[in-house]
Amino acid sequence: MVGHAMVHTYELSIPILMTVWLLEFSTTAAVLGVAAAVGYGLFGIGALPGGLLVDRFGSRVLISACLAGMGLSFLLLSLAPGVVGVTLALAVWGIAASVYHPAGLTLISNGIEERGRGFAYHGMAGNVGIAGGPLVTALLLLAFDWRIAVVILAVPALVATLVGLTIRFDPVAAVEATDGGSREHSPTSLAEFVGETRRLFTLGFLLICVIVAFNGLYYRGVLTFLPDLLGDFLMAAVGDVRPGIFDPDSPVAEEFDLAQYLYTGLLTVGIGGQYLSGRLTELIEPDRALILVLTVLTVIALAFVPAAQLGLTGLLVASFALGFALFATQPLTQATIAKYSLPESRGLSFGYTYLAIFGVGALGAAVAGTVLTYASVSLMFVVLAAFSTIGTVLALSLVRVGREP
C-alpha cells in the first residue's frame, strides 16, 4: 500500500513541479513535455521486463528496489542543473516505478488469500497518492524552494525501502494454500520467454489484455483533460467565485482554481470505488462484476455533459459518479487478471497487462485531445463511451470463455 501510494504521489507531483521548472530554466512547455514523456514512457514500457524480473527475483526485492530507485531519482532531481538533468532524473524515476505494478499485484495475487480485499486496500492507497500527491507537492512549494521540496518527497520512499527489506512475510502463502505450492518461475532465455508467453496467452488472457487496454484508453482520455473541462462547466454553472472569496488584488485570488478542488474531490471519491469493488469480488466472480462497472462507465460518459449542463448539482453528481466508477474498475481488472493467469508467471502476466493499460492506454490522451481540438466535448465523451462499450462486449465474451472446460 505504501509503495502504491508513493508511485502515484511521484507520478502526479511532476505536473506541479513543471510549473516551477518553466520559470526556473526559462524553457517552454514543449521541451518540458518531452522531458516528462521520457519518464512516463519508461513507466509504461518497463512493466513487461519488470514482470520478468518479479518472477525471477521475487516481489520483495523488486518493490524495495522500486522505492529506493524512486527516492534516489528525486534526490538526483534536486541536483538537476537544467532540463537535461531533469530529463535524466525523470528517466530514472520511470525505470524504477515501472516494476511496481507487476511486483505489487503479484505479491497480492500469490501472497494474500483474500485477494479482493487486498486489491481494494491496495487500490485505495493508490488513490491516496493520486489525490494527495499534487496537494502535498503544492503545499511544500509554498514553504520551500523546489529543490528542498523534492528532497523531502524522497524521504518516505527511502524509509519504506528499509522497512520493506526487514519485515517478515511469506510472498507465496496464497499460492501454497490454493494452487498446490506453485512457485514463481522466470524464463532464462528468449526461447523460454516465447514459450512462457505462448502458455500464458490463452483466449481468456488475451481477452483480458484487450479489455484493460480499452479501459486504459477511457481512463487516460478522461483524466488528462478533465481539470480544464471541469473549469469550463463550473464557470457556466456558478461563474467566477474568486471575487466573492478573495481580495481581487491578492496573489491567492490569481492562483485559486475551484476546478482543481473538484478534480481532487473526484479522485478522492475513487477510494470508495476501489474498496467497494474489491469487496464485490468476494461475492461474485470479478469478470462478471467487470461487465457491470464497464456498463456504468458507458452510461456515465453519455450522461456527463447533459448532467453538467443542468447546473452545479448535476455537475457534482456526474463528477463524483465518474470518480467512483472509474477507479472501481481497478480491483476488478486485477482480480480478473489473476483468475486468467498462471500462478508461477504472475509477474509476466501483470507485465503484459500493465503494458496494455499504460502503453496502449496512453493513446487515450491523444484521441481525446484530437476530438476536443477538432470536434466537441460531447463527442469526446461519446468516444469514451465507445471504449467502455467495447470493453463490456469483450467482458461478456470473457465470461463465456470462462464457462468453457
Side-chain angles (χ1 to χ4, degrees):
M1 288 174 66
V2 171
H4 199 200
M6 292 308 303
V7 165
H8 291 297
T9 294
Y10 292 134
E11 177 193 9
L12 293 173
S13 70
I14 293 170
I16 303 297
L17 291 167
M18 286 176 69
T19 63
V20 179
W21 295 334
L22 280 169
L23 300 176
E24 176 82 9
F25 301 123
S26 300
T27 187
T28 65
V31 172
L32 280 182
V34 172
V38 170
Y40 287 143
L42 290 171
F43 180 40
I45 294 170
L48 180 55
L52 290 170
L53 292 173
V54 171
D55 288 335
R56 173 175 284 274
F57 297 107
S59 294
R60 179 202 293 271
V61 172
L62 266 294
I63 294 175
S64 298
C66 166
L67 288 164
M70 291 192 302
L72 291 174
S73 73
F74 266 58
L75 292 181
L76 182 63
L77 187 60
S78 70
L79 303 174
V83 175
V84 173
V86 168
T87 304
L88 291 175
L90 293 183
V92 174
W93 172 83
I95 293 169
S98 68
V99 305
Y100 177 74
H101 285 92
L105 297 173
T106 296
L107 183 58
I108 294 173
S109 298
N110 290 349
I112 299 177
E113 293 181 32
E114 295 182 83
R115 286 177 185 164
R117 191 173 302 189
F119 286 133
Y121 287 126
H122 179 260
M124 291 164 67
N127 267 72
V128 170
I130 288 170
L135 178 62
V136 170
T137 304
L139 292 175
L140 286 174
L141 291 174
L142 289 176
F144 304 101
D145 178 75
W146 74 268
R147 296 182 185 274
I148 297 175
V150 296
V151 170
I152 295 173
L153 285 172
V155 171
L158 298 175
V159 172
T161 302
L162 298 177
V163 174
L165 290 173
T166 56
I167 58 177
R168 297 171 61 91
F169 58 88
D170 183 358
V172 291
V175 171
E176 293 176 335
T178 62
D179 295 309
S182 298
R183 289 276 174 171
E184 294 169 344
H185 167 72
S186 178
T188 57
S189 67
L190 179 60
E192 284 191 19
F193 171 73
V194 172
E196 195 72 12
T197 296
R198 290 176 64 182
R199 198 162 70 95
L200 178 63
F201 268 87
T202 61
L203 178 57
F205 187 75
L206 177 60
L207 281 171
I208 189 61
C209 281
V210 181
I211 290 168
V212 298
F214 276 102
N215 186 51
L217 289 168
Y218 188 114
Y219 173 89
R220 190 62 68 188
V222 71
L223 288 186
T224 300
F225 297 98
L226 195 57
D228 287 337
L229 297 178
L230 291 176
D232 294 338
F233 286 127
L234 279 170
M235 185 62 69
V238 298
D240 189 353
V241 300
R242 289 177 295 180
I245 303 176
F246 305 104
D247 182 343
D249 298 325
S250 168
V252 177
E254 183 178 349
E255 296 296 329
F256 181 79
D257 186 353
L258 186 60
Q260 293 292 339
Y261 291 91
L262 177 56
Y263 185 64
T264 300
L266 181 154
L267 298 174
T268 304
V269 167
I271 296 174
Q274 295 265 17
Y275 179 76
L276 181 63
S277 69
R279 297 303 300 271
L280 190 62
T281 64
E282 299 174 358
L283 302 176
I284 62 176
E285 291 295 321
D287 44 2
R288 294 179 181 275
L290 189 58
I291 296 170
L292 173 63
V293 178
L294 288 171
T295 302
V296 171
L297 282 176
T298 298
V299 173
I300 291 173
L302 295 175
F304 192 93
V305 173
Q309 292 173 341
L310 294 176
L312 181 60
T313 300
L315 176 60
L316 292 177
V317 170
S319 298
F320 293 146
L322 176 62
F324 190 92
L326 187 64
F327 291 99
T329 62
Q330 293 185 5
L332 296 176
T333 56
Q334 291 158 5
T336 304
I337 292 164
K339 177 180 176 179
Y340 287 90
S341 61
L342 303 168
E344 65 271 23
S345 300
R346 285 271 157 74
L348 183 61
S349 65
F350 282 113
Y352 272 117
T353 50
Y354 271 80
L355 178 61
I357 293 170
F358 291 134
V360 178
L363 297 174
V367 172
T370 300
V371 175
L372 285 173
T373 301
Y374 296 104
S376 65
V377 175
S378 296
L379 184 58
M380 187 201 80
F381 278 97
V382 170
V383 171
L384 295 176
F387 291 152
S388 54
T389 299
I390 295 171
T392 303
V393 173
L394 293 172
L396 287 166
S397 301
L398 181 65
V399 170
R400 182 174 181 180
V401 168
R403 288 201 303 264
E404 295 176 356

